[in-house]
Amino acid sequence: MRQIRHDADVITIYEYEEAERLLHDLAERYEEDITIERRGQRKRKIAFYNYPCAFDIETTTVAPGQLDYDPGPDAAPVAFPYLFQWCIYGRVIMVRTMEHALDVFRWIAEAFGTDATTKLVIFDHNLGYEWAFFRDLWDVVPDECFALDKHHPVTVMLKSGLMIRDSYKMTNMSLQTLTKDWSKKWKKEPELMDYYKLRTPYDELDDETLLYSALDVLSLSDAMRPFLRARGEEIWTRCPTSTSFIRQRLKQRVGVGEHHRTAEQKRYMSLIHGMEMDAERFTLLQELARGGNTHANRHIIGQELEDLCHFDITSSYPAQMVCYDEYPLGEFVDLEDIEIDELLAVSEDYCTMCRICLIDPALRRDIDVTVPYIATAICSSISGRAHYSDNGRYIDGAHQLVISVFGVELPIIIEQYDFSDIIILKAYAAPKGYLPDIIRTFILDLYKDKTELKGIEGMEVEYALAKTYINGVYGMSYTNPIRQSYEFIDGDILPEEPKDLEEELQRFQRSTSYFLPYAWGAMTACLGRVYLQKMIDCVGSSFVYADTDSVFAIDCDKSSAAIRALEKDLTERQRQCGLQIVYNDRKGRPQELGSISEEPRVEKFKTFGAKKYVTVEDGVLHCTIAGVPKKTGAKVIGTIDRFELGLNFAGTDTGKLTIWYNPDDGIVLHDSQGRPIRVRANAAMLPCNYLLGISEDFRSCLWYENVSSRWDYEILPE
């Protein structure tokens, strides 16, 4: 037993020798702390202990050449745990070896009497990592486990009755953010520990390391109950991921599972069941799946610009879902033998989706197209000749290009591209209109709370939930319902055999999981892109950069006037939606859903493409680079003139890691005193550098278009 002081508190750490006795004492003290839940189709009774326990491990990664590890050239590093920690009913247990850790798991189950009908929930923040070390050692119930992919289990049910749940997937927050927002007593300490220091199970650990590790499980355990109760849930919640909470709430709103539905709920369920799709229609819908529009004007790549204006759409996706009448509201009917002019006419009155083939497509040169609309990644095929693209956006070179789009996107493509012909390969049309009011008022209730509660003392939790939920509605609606499933087999998480799409669709559409058509999520993303394109076109050649719901531009007076004129037209249409979309904030200022706000001016700006830019605002450098933390990235860059291709971001600065998932190869290492360390299945992690560069295709585009004369194509860094 060790005691460590933390501020005014003393944390007692129980070691292997005291753990079994402690667990039996706790089980005896809390034997009545149980809630009965009914689970499964047969509604069998399951008893859950009411305390959110926590588990974590600390590991060391060993590179070739360390600890007599000499596997040969090009071998992967390996890893092993040197510390295991639990928080069980507020008590911290720590052990040093895998054998002792397995004993503790067994003692927990034995002491609390867990089994098939009595469960104790243990949260693990990033369960996928611990799974890599325990996958061959935990005895699981395969049918009660759930995984998102082969490396990311979300729930692992042990045959002993212990339920291990991934709190990271459930909260979508880092442990530091989660505990800062939701823990009442304990907080995760900032990163004090040197993760790259080589430690073994034999090494004596100092108080700082033990404190850091203890706070990880104490703070996680402390945070989970408030986090869940704020969402109307308990630790045995059926919501395994962060989007599950908003999904559950909306299901209740529309009457899923209700025996006595309101008239509005009945109309809603009747509507969505009239929208059921077959495999052919659903396949086309999957083909046109695309997210937000993020792109930089290729003509200003690498240039340091000054005095930029920045425009942002207020709650863009919720605005599309509430204010626009372009959503399919019935069955998609096949449009046979239709020409492009006819399809455009039909798209005026119906929601259409189509698969088209462009013959000899090329970006128009008589107008300045700063953001080519066709993303090569979603094209079914591009054939005929070598083509080139603007950072993933098609420009020229192909003979045939096949792409699937909604009808509202066709005018953008026709406006931007020349072609010798458009062939309609497949097209469907459905009645269109506003989403049902039961959905729109649900979104507006969240927007109202988000607007009115911001900054109100004592309402921080309600505001945070409204903000989280309103951002989650779109994500929930655009989650593909027919995804790869995984099964747990002998310590591996393996993809299940592909199933017949038609059968899977019919099964899904007749289940309680079907309450929000996938087509609505796809249309929301589409309308977001169309809205953003209007802003891009509005500022014309002054356009600099766009990201989903915002635009940067130069010539600020001209650009601002153009945006205000556009906003006037758009808001007039949005206000015709038949619902209140304006609410006042705490200072009485009106905040209109879908309005365009002008952010403070940007002093300097520089970009090398999507998700690669820096700004200077109020004299402070800000960095947005995918995979690089904003604060550390800005610190590494220092000044805007240092932001150039070839700039190296060290992994030790950014936290960017390479992970190797290794099987149990029977490796035995030895420390400096010759003591053995058994290496089992593991996940080894080492920092990796990030080199600021651009793709070969993009380099070719910049050279071909001669938009950056200060660079020689041959020497552009990759």
Side-chain angles (χ1 to χ4, degrees), residues 407-427:
V408 292
E409 298 176 278
L410 285 172
I412 300 174
I413 293 174
I414 292 172
E415 171 68 19
Q416 288 191 353
Y417 291 89
D418 287 322
F419 38 80
S420 59
D421 196 8
I422 298 182
I423 302 171
I424 311 299
L425 303 176
K426 199 69 181 176

Side-chain angles (χ1 to χ4, degrees), residues 88 108 123 127 236 253 296 301 389 404 520 547 558 666 689:
I88 309 292
I108 294 171
F123 289 101
L127 175 56
W236 50 82
R253 181 71 164 255
I301 293 296
S389 59
S404 296
W520 290 352
D547 189 348
K558 176 183 173 183
N689 297 344

Side-chain angles (χ1 to χ4, degrees), residues 38 132 222 238 335 359 402 425 429 497 577:
R38 292 188 177 273
D222 192 26
R238 291 178 173 85
L335 301 176
I359 307 299
V402 178
L425 303 176
E497 289 294 321
C577 72

